[in-house]
Amino acid sequence: MKKFVLVQLLLMLGIGLFAEGLKSPNEQLELTFSLKNGKPSYQLTYKNKMVVKESHLGFELKEGKDLLSGFEVSAVDRSSFDENWQPVWGEWKEIRNHYNEMAVTLTQSETERVMLIRFRLFDDGLGFRYEFPEQGKLSYFVIKEERTQFAMAGDHKAFWIPGDYDTQEYDYTESKLSEIRGLMEKAVTPNASQTPFSDTGVQTALMMKSDDGIYINIHEAALVEYACMHLDLDDKTMVFESHLTPDAIGDKGYMQAPCSSPWRTVIVSDDAADILMSNITLNLNEPCAYEDVSWIKPVKYIGVWWEMITGKGSWSYTNLPSVKLGQTDYSKTIPNGTHSANNEKVKRYIDFAAEHGFDAVLVEGWNEGWEDWFGKSKDYVFDFVTPYPDFDVAMLRDYAKSKGVRIMMHHETSGSVRNYERHMDKAYQFMKDNNYNSVKSGYVGDIIPRGEYHYGQWMVNHYLHAVTKAAEYGVMVNAHEAVRPTGLCRTYPNLIGNESARGTEYESFGGNNVNHTTILPFTRLIGGPMDYTPGIFEPDVSQYNPNNGSKVRTTIARQLALYVTMYSPLQMAADLPETYAKHMDAFQFIKDVAIDWDDTKILEAEPGDYITYARKEKGSSNWFVGRTNDEQQRVSKIKFDFLTPGKKYIATVYSDAKDAHWETNPKAYEIKKYAVSNKSKLSQMCVPGGGYAISIIEVKDKKEFKGLKRL
Amino acid sequence: MKKFVLVQLLLMLGIGLFAEGLKSPNEQLELTFSLKNGKPSYQLTYKNKMVVKESHLGFELKEGKDLLSGFEVSAVDRSSFDENWQPVWGEWKEIRNHYNEMAVTLTQSETERVMLIRFRLFDDGLGFRYEFPEQGKLSYFVIKEERTQFAMAGDHKAFWIPGDYDTQEYDYTESKLSEIRGLMEKAVTPNASQTPFSDTGVQTALMMKSDDGIYINIHEAALVEYACMHLDLDDKTMVFESHLTPDAIGDKGYMQAPCSSPWRTVIVSDDAADILMSNITLNLNEPCAYEDVSWIKPVKYIGVWWEMITGKGSWSYTNLPSVKLGQTDYSKTIPNGTHSANNEKVKRYIDFAAEHGFDAVLVEGWNEGWEDWFGKSKDYVFDFVTPYPDFDVAMLRDYAKSKGVRIMMHHETSGSVRNYERHMDKAYQFMKDNNYNSVKSGYVGDIIPRGEYHYGQWMVNHYLHAVTKAAEYGVMVNAHEAVRPTGLCRTYPNLIGNESARGTEYESFGGNNVNHTTILPFTRLIGGPMDYTPGIFEPDVSQYNPNNGSKVRTTIARQLALYVTMYSPLQMAADLPETYAKHMDAFQFIKDVAIDWDDTKILEAEPGDYITYARKEKGSSNWFVGRTNDEQQRVSKIKFDFLTPGKKYIATVYSDAKDAHWETNPKAYEIKKYAVSNKSKLSQMCVPGGGYAISIIEVKDKKEFKGLKRL
């Protein structure tokens, strides 16, 4: 505290500068907190290179003096932390939480208000947040804007999507920061609900790379009772500033001390793999809030879904233009003949799931109300418990149970959130009564209460409410169109999935960029798992619906790789059973691949270009490798040194055929088996939009290697 | 239909005029519907005098062509209706619903959209509404504004309060219509939540009187799934136009056909008493929605309430500036020593209620959270089930039960409506478990979701949701700060009370106008009963709280009259038990007076001046009379001809003493007993702010008249 006393003295002498440093455990990252003329700021260096230049901190308030200036440092508290913890499910059996901390208590002398900024410096990055302790002069306040800067040291390359209060379902644009403004209009593609806010506004997690090869990722952790943060760029100075999602009257946060902001995170490395290996987001969240987690289990599932997404079938039971729940008597309506969620079909899906070892069958469109569910700002749109006439809840419940399979519930809210909350207890109870233990929820369209946005404080509160209430009923939640995750699954591990990005469905709505899945792990997945719904084996969507000309921009081999590269404890085999039946050899990988892991390694990684993961199945000696490749033909070279020395394995490699190509020949794949050990190496060609997947199964007896080539 | 065919023909010939008339059963009222150049309008006469001049009808829509013009008449359907029905509780045992109806179907040829206007003409007034049948070309639409006009025939005298999206808690101003603009600023007195919208905007029910002595009352009936209507005056033309309460984004109604607007009502008579006798509002509501109504019973109650309103006690248990439910451990806090809802006091109130025959004891401030409940836009403000440490739910439940009294629940929401709905099932279940069967709910302060108003469609939906959900638990509702009633208690008779006007509490906040209660029955009570909470026996509020200089602007005698003049199946004796103990002779009237009635007569009535009611107790031969008087000294002259001929009664008259005065001598009252029959007459002086109450009890034996003067 010697230094502190000194600078305080200097401050009192009128020099007006306070500065205090903090180093990461490995000393490669260094943070400096400064107070100049009463204004707080920070900067961050990595291996002595500037990552975040001096950046201001604080808040603009709706009423009263802002929390931006007029501060004095009243305390600096330092500490260190090092702990290993075990997630309920995850990429690693054990996660290390290791950081040095500096908590700076600031007092605004004029108002006697106290704001604390807590910095945690990990080896892989920085986390910091604002805290407002209980105090006499600051109790309730309304945030007009958070003014946290992230001043970049150069015109970095960025992988960005438009800042938007309502959706993240955009393709990523790869550009210089200075090019964002010019590319924004093109980047804002249509969505059912969207509210972009600035020509230079982008979303987090934002992935960047500097000219000198430093990878920088900005996101947030533990978004609770607060609005989602976007970043607005000053493209003259390359300074990002926080931009919170407003509420219906333009306010950005209603706060009551004691309280804190979410953590703002900056992950940094000169190795792209370190970004993917970082656990900062999870580490900055609170430990698990539940005592009993035995009911939370990863889920591999199929679903009555892709056929509606492609337009082959329909969610709705009739073609009525308008219905009213409880007033429309469906037994007297004319069925449209395309309703997918019917007894016969669901039974077939259950049979398929049981035969191939899936845990669950998602069924969308099972309940009344789909005729006019969308785009009508309809308040009482679904009741979440009333099935269409051709969906027999009890029969299907019993049938699924007899086959050892669960049906996965679907709660589309259409954004009508009051309506969902009104029915939530009954809806979850209905699930419990009928043996459902997981729900896919959806928030398509503009939010009701009208004026609220998907990513505002109001909805952030709702999403977590839905998760914690689900826990009371033993229900796992996979929320689509919800705010992007921020590591809350550590605290609430029944949040087993989210969408919050452009998923596979868009492959049927015109397609995703070919390199989409080489970016998502660096962006969307920084916050938590995504229900990306891979496994499309028929990339020509017109085979299902002649009116749909969309092409899935990926080879079948890459579809397999996604089960490894797109980490999630919830994995879907999204295509139709009859399509899988034509490719049972490739489908074997989906059956085999694990969904929970003891270990994860990054073998190759460059955002926008390629990623190769190796993961060790939970409680097993098996490994699985996945490689996703961009639009360039590339050769992947990997070593199997992650395998246990001395053990023997058979590797089954599912790769692109030589003449495969996402556009012209996506279905061409090869399957080869090899004998491998930890000395093995593989050089594997990946075609444009391709990739590969490998299952590596330990064998006890060398005889099983018979006839296999050794790698 | 002959006439109809003729005018259609004329229309087709290009004359462009369609007109069709409708008369009330007694033929005194005549409505004319016209379509001129495709624009619908109506006018209304009473005894051949113009009441509503030609007034346009229709809607401005958010999108697409408005529903104001371009119409053709495609059908006119006429019918008559005459039925007697029995309310669950009310002013009459039986109510006659008698009207002639004309339903005009309009088709907008350009859009093929259909709008029907249904007119019902009763002997006492007009009701009409818009209906949108199920149709191909109009399904969902958003109302930008309803454009219903009420064109007055002159510069009438009006009893008005400022149009406001959030409150009706204003004193009435009596002025010419042309004077509204100049008086508006003064009329808008402060409130916890208020949003006036126009210098000439006023609320309904609006009471008017023309220079030639016609009384006109404009209101609405059956406000369901629609925004509350205000009236905006063009003070050059004296034309009122409907002004709906907007939502957070400025929209005024989300509609889905088939649907309809609430009824717009115009009650008309040249006798003010007919306005009070009108049952148009109830008749235009749907019959009771509940099969079993045995659990719905009128309630006479006292409450731990007035002492907090006056500032003698507090709702909160501590003086902490800020608390968090579930985080603040009240057992470790310092009690403020003024918390009123404590075990000892509540027991005393229960004793008093039991001793004097009250059904229930309201207890406010029983639950955690009152320290910072108000004005903070606090979301999680109450949980509705957690008592303060000094309120023992189980003990008090059992104690009340042993005394044959119920505790009345209090659910203050602080306007945080999502929070209330989230806790509603548990809160009602808690009531059921603890023997509460009625709840006073409150919506003080601005609404959360922020941007919504107390009177918008969103909240209108909520209030009814709270009532129908309460019914599932056998709970009766008395909602304060909710939208003013529109006769919904016919359909949902567990809605036993509302505030929605300036109640007795304001007598402790500076006072109500002396003639306030001579206006309310003509305005606020047109829609349904009010929980006015009369019975203040200590008009000098400083006796309870030296810091409160407010004076209750009424004599004690008038306080008694209000139990008759302010009809409600829910009546409170609002003052403190210790105060009643000083005036047990006057208190006897509150003990005796009925709260449910077989018959009601208006003996004298002039809005703003005086009202005298006589009511016959339900299932009894007893009558009760009440007279409320304005700031003028007046002599009330009534006949007892409402009594059954040949029967004998003792009348106990509770009147102002000769030297009584609301301001200088409010406690001076006299109690006299008389022998009366249906031939009796009374001439009774009423002092400024005074009045009287009479109980008239049948006696079987003439001997009981001994010593009594005959009237």
Side-chain angles (χ1 to χ4, degrees), chain B residues 356-380:
Chain B
H356 298 291
F358 286 82
D359 302 298
V361 177
L362 165 71
V363 185
E364 295 200 0
W366 67 277
N367 56 327
E368 288 186 3
W370 285 91
E371 281 76 4
D372 57 356
W373 70 285
F374 173 69
K376 307 286 196 295
S377 197
K378 188 175 177 178
D379 191 329
Y380 184 35

Short mmCIF file of all heavy atoms in Angstrom, two decimals, chain B residues 356-380:
data_model
loop_
_atom_site.label_atom_id
_atom_site.label_comp_id
_atom_site.label_asym_id
_atom_site.label_seq_id
_atom_site.Cartn_x
_atom_site.Cartn_y
_atom_site.Cartn_z
N HIS B 356 -68.67 -5.39 17.02
CA HIS B 356 -69.65 -4.52 16.37
C HIS B 356 -70.18 -5.08 15.05
O HIS B 356 -70.81 -4.35 14.29
CB HIS B 356 -69.04 -3.13 16.17
CG HIS B 356 -68.68 -2.47 17.47
ND1 HIS B 356 -69.64 -2.04 18.37
CD2 HIS B 356 -67.48 -2.23 18.07
CE1 HIS B 356 -69.05 -1.54 19.44
NE2 HIS B 356 -67.74 -1.65 19.29
N GLY B 357 -69.90 -6.33 14.80
CA GLY B 357 -70.54 -7.00 13.67
C GLY B 357 -69.94 -6.73 12.31
O GLY B 357 -70.63 -6.86 11.29
N PHE B 358 -68.70 -6.36 12.27
CA PHE B 358 -68.05 -6.18 10.97
C PHE B 358 -67.59 -7.53 10.43
O PHE B 358 -67.29 -8.45 11.19
CB PHE B 358 -66.85 -5.22 11.08
CG PHE B 358 -67.28 -3.79 11.25
CD1 PHE B 358 -67.63 -3.30 12.51
CD2 PHE B 358 -67.35 -2.94 10.15
CE1 PHE B 358 -68.05 -1.98 12.66
CE2 PHE B 358 -67.77 -1.63 10.30
CZ PHE B 358 -68.12 -1.14 11.55
N ASP B 359 -67.52 -7.60 9.09
CA ASP B 359 -67.12 -8.86 8.45
C ASP B 359 -65.60 -9.02 8.43
O ASP B 359 -65.11 -10.15 8.46
CB ASP B 359 -67.62 -8.89 7.00
CG ASP B 359 -69.12 -8.73 6.92
OD1 ASP B 359 -69.82 -9.60 7.47
OD2 ASP B 359 -69.60 -7.74 6.32
N ALA B 360 -64.90 -7.88 8.31
CA ALA B 360 -63.47 -8.02 8.02
C ALA B 360 -62.66 -6.86 8.57
O ALA B 360 -63.19 -5.78 8.86
CB ALA B 360 -63.26 -8.13 6.51
N VAL B 361 -61.35 -7.12 8.70
CA VAL B 361 -60.38 -6.10 9.10
C VAL B 361 -59.29 -6.04 8.03
O VAL B 361 -58.55 -7.00 7.82
CB VAL B 361 -59.73 -6.44 10.45
CG1 VAL B 361 -58.66 -5.41 10.81
CG2 VAL B 361 -60.78 -6.54 11.55
N LEU B 362 -59.25 -4.92 7.33
CA LEU B 362 -58.15 -4.69 6.38
C LEU B 362 -56.88 -4.39 7.16
O LEU B 362 -56.92 -3.61 8.11
CB LEU B 362 -58.50 -3.49 5.48
CG LEU B 362 -57.35 -2.88 4.67
CD1 LEU B 362 -56.91 -3.82 3.55
CD2 LEU B 362 -57.76 -1.52 4.10
N VAL B 363 -55.78 -5.01 6.74
CA VAL B 363 -54.49 -4.67 7.36
C VAL B 363 -53.50 -4.32 6.26
O VAL B 363 -53.09 -5.18 5.48
CB VAL B 363 -53.93 -5.81 8.23
CG1 VAL B 363 -52.66 -5.35 8.95
CG2 VAL B 363 -54.97 -6.29 9.24
N GLU B 364 -53.12 -3.07 6.20
CA GLU B 364 -52.09 -2.65 5.25
C GLU B 364 -50.75 -2.63 5.96
O GLU B 364 -50.67 -2.50 7.17
CB GLU B 364 -52.41 -1.26 4.68
CG GLU B 364 -53.68 -1.26 3.83
CD GLU B 364 -53.77 -0.08 2.87
OE1 GLU B 364 -52.87 0.76 2.87
OE2 GLU B 364 -54.78 -0.02 2.13
N GLY B 365 -49.69 -2.78 5.17
CA GLY B 365 -48.34 -2.72 5.73
C GLY B 365 -47.96 -3.96 6.51
O GLY B 365 -47.08 -3.92 7.36
N TRP B 366 -48.58 -5.09 6.19
CA TRP B 366 -48.29 -6.33 6.92
C TRP B 366 -47.08 -7.05 6.37
O TRP B 366 -46.48 -7.88 7.05
CB TRP B 366 -49.51 -7.27 6.86
CG TRP B 366 -49.76 -7.78 5.47
CD1 TRP B 366 -50.43 -7.14 4.48
CD2 TRP B 366 -49.29 -9.01 4.91
NE1 TRP B 366 -50.42 -7.89 3.33
CE2 TRP B 366 -49.74 -9.06 3.57
CE3 TRP B 366 -48.55 -10.10 5.41
CZ2 TRP B 366 -49.45 -10.13 2.72
CZ3 TRP B 366 -48.27 -11.17 4.56
CH2 TRP B 366 -48.72 -11.18 3.24
N ASN B 367 -46.73 -6.71 5.14
CA ASN B 367 -45.70 -7.52 4.45
C ASN B 367 -44.42 -6.74 4.19
O ASN B 367 -44.42 -5.52 4.09
CB ASN B 367 -46.26 -8.06 3.13
CG ASN B 367 -46.77 -6.95 2.20
OD1 ASN B 367 -47.27 -5.94 2.67
ND2 ASN B 367 -46.65 -7.16 0.91
N GLU B 368 -43.34 -7.47 4.05
CA GLU B 368 -42.02 -6.86 3.86
C GLU B 368 -41.95 -6.01 2.59
O GLU B 368 -42.51 -6.38 1.57
CB GLU B 368 -40.96 -7.96 3.74
CG GLU B 368 -40.66 -8.67 5.05
CD GLU B 368 -39.50 -9.64 4.93
OE1 GLU B 368 -38.89 -9.73 3.85
OE2 GLU B 368 -39.21 -10.32 5.93
N GLY B 369 -41.27 -4.89 2.69
CA GLY B 369 -40.98 -4.11 1.49
C GLY B 369 -41.46 -2.67 1.52
O GLY B 369 -41.23 -1.93 0.56
N TRP B 370 -42.11 -2.25 2.59
CA TRP B 370 -42.72 -0.92 2.58
C TRP B 370 -41.73 0.22 2.77
O TRP B 370 -42.07 1.38 2.60
CB TRP B 370 -43.82 -0.85 3.64
CG TRP B 370 -45.05 -1.59 3.21
CD1 TRP B 370 -45.35 -2.90 3.45
CD2 TRP B 370 -46.12 -1.08 2.40
NE1 TRP B 370 -46.55 -3.24 2.85
CE2 TRP B 370 -47.04 -2.12 2.21
CE3 TRP B 370 -46.40 0.17 1.84
CZ2 TRP B 370 -48.21 -1.97 1.47
CZ3 TRP B 370 -47.57 0.33 1.11
CH2 TRP B 370 -48.46 -0.74 0.93
N GLU B 371 -40.49 -0.11 3.12
CA GLU B 371 -39.52 0.96 3.37
C GLU B 371 -39.28 1.82 2.14
O GLU B 371 -39.11 3.03 2.23
CB GLU B 371 -38.18 0.35 3.84
CG GLU B 371 -38.16 -0.07 5.30
CD GLU B 371 -38.91 -1.36 5.59
OE1 GLU B 371 -39.40 -1.99 4.64
OE2 GLU B 371 -39.02 -1.72 6.77
N ASP B 372 -39.22 1.19 0.97
CA ASP B 372 -38.88 1.95 -0.25
C ASP B 372 -39.80 1.54 -1.40
O ASP B 372 -39.39 1.46 -2.54
CB ASP B 372 -37.41 1.68 -0.64
CG ASP B 372 -37.13 0.20 -0.84
OD1 ASP B 372 -38.05 -0.63 -0.60
OD2 ASP B 372 -36.01 -0.15 -1.23
N TRP B 373 -41.06 1.34 -1.03
CA TRP B 373 -42.00 0.80 -2.01
C TRP B 373 -42.40 1.84 -3.06
O TRP B 373 -42.85 1.50 -4.13
CB TRP B 373 -43.27 0.33 -1.29
CG TRP B 373 -44.11 1.46 -0.74
CD1 TRP B 373 -43.85 2.20 0.36
CD2 TRP B 373 -45.32 1.97 -1.31
NE1 TRP B 373 -44.83 3.14 0.55
CE2 TRP B 373 -45.75 3.02 -0.47
CE3 TRP B 373 -46.10 1.63 -2.42
CZ2 TRP B 373 -46.92 3.75 -0.72
CZ3 TRP B 373 -47.26 2.36 -2.66
CH2 TRP B 373 -47.65 3.41 -1.82
N PHE B 374 -42.21 3.08 -2.80
CA PHE B 374 -42.89 4.12 -3.56
C PHE B 374 -41.91 5.03 -4.31
O PHE B 374 -40.91 5.49 -3.75
CB PHE B 374 -43.73 4.97 -2.59
CG PHE B 374 -44.32 6.17 -3.24
CD1 PHE B 374 -45.32 6.01 -4.18
CD2 PHE B 374 -43.86 7.43 -2.96
CE1 PHE B 374 -45.87 7.11 -4.82
CE2 PHE B 374 -44.41 8.54 -3.58
CZ PHE B 374 -45.40 8.38 -4.52
N GLY B 375 -42.25 5.29 -5.59
CA GLY B 375 -41.53 6.32 -6.33
C GLY B 375 -40.15 5.94 -6.78
O GLY B 375 -39.37 6.78 -7.22
N LYS B 376 -39.79 4.65 -6.66
CA LYS B 376 -38.44 4.22 -7.03
C LYS B 376 -38.43 3.43 -8.33
O LYS B 376 -37.39 2.94 -8.74
CB LYS B 376 -37.85 3.33 -5.91
CG LYS B 376 -37.90 3.96 -4.51
CD LYS B 376 -36.88 5.04 -4.37
CE LYS B 376 -36.64 5.41 -2.92
NZ LYS B 376 -37.79 5.99 -2.23
N SER B 377 -39.60 3.23 -8.94
CA SER B 377 -39.71 2.36 -10.11
C SER B 377 -39.04 1.02 -9.80
O SER B 377 -38.29 0.46 -10.59
CB SER B 377 -39.08 3.00 -11.35
OG SER B 377 -39.53 2.34 -12.52
N LYS B 378 -39.34 0.53 -8.60
CA LYS B 378 -38.71 -0.71 -8.12
C LYS B 378 -39.49 -1.91 -8.65
O LYS B 378 -40.70 -2.00 -8.45
CB LYS B 378 -38.73 -0.68 -6.59
CG LYS B 378 -37.96 -1.81 -5.94
CD LYS B 378 -37.92 -1.63 -4.43
CE LYS B 378 -37.20 -2.80 -3.77
NZ LYS B 378 -37.13 -2.63 -2.31
N ASP B 379 -38.81 -2.81 -9.29
CA ASP B 379 -39.45 -3.94 -9.93
C ASP B 379 -39.89 -4.97 -8.88
O ASP B 379 -41.08 -5.21 -8.67
CB ASP B 379 -38.48 -4.56 -10.94
CG ASP B 379 -39.13 -5.57 -11.85
OD1 ASP B 379 -40.09 -6.24 -11.41
OD2 ASP B 379 -38.70 -5.72 -13.00
N TYR B 380 -38.95 -5.54 -8.17
CA TYR B 380 -39.27 -6.58 -7.18
C TYR B 380 -39.53 -5.90 -5.84
O TYR B 380 -38.70 -5.89 -4.94
CB TYR B 380 -38.12 -7.58 -7.09
CG TYR B 380 -38.38 -8.75 -6.17
CD1 TYR B 380 -39.65 -9.30 -6.04
CD2 TYR B 380 -37.34 -9.32 -5.47
CE1 TYR B 380 -39.89 -10.38 -5.19
CE2 TYR B 380 -37.55 -10.41 -4.63
CZ TYR B 380 -38.82 -10.92 -4.48
OH TYR B 380 -39.04 -12.00 -3.65
#
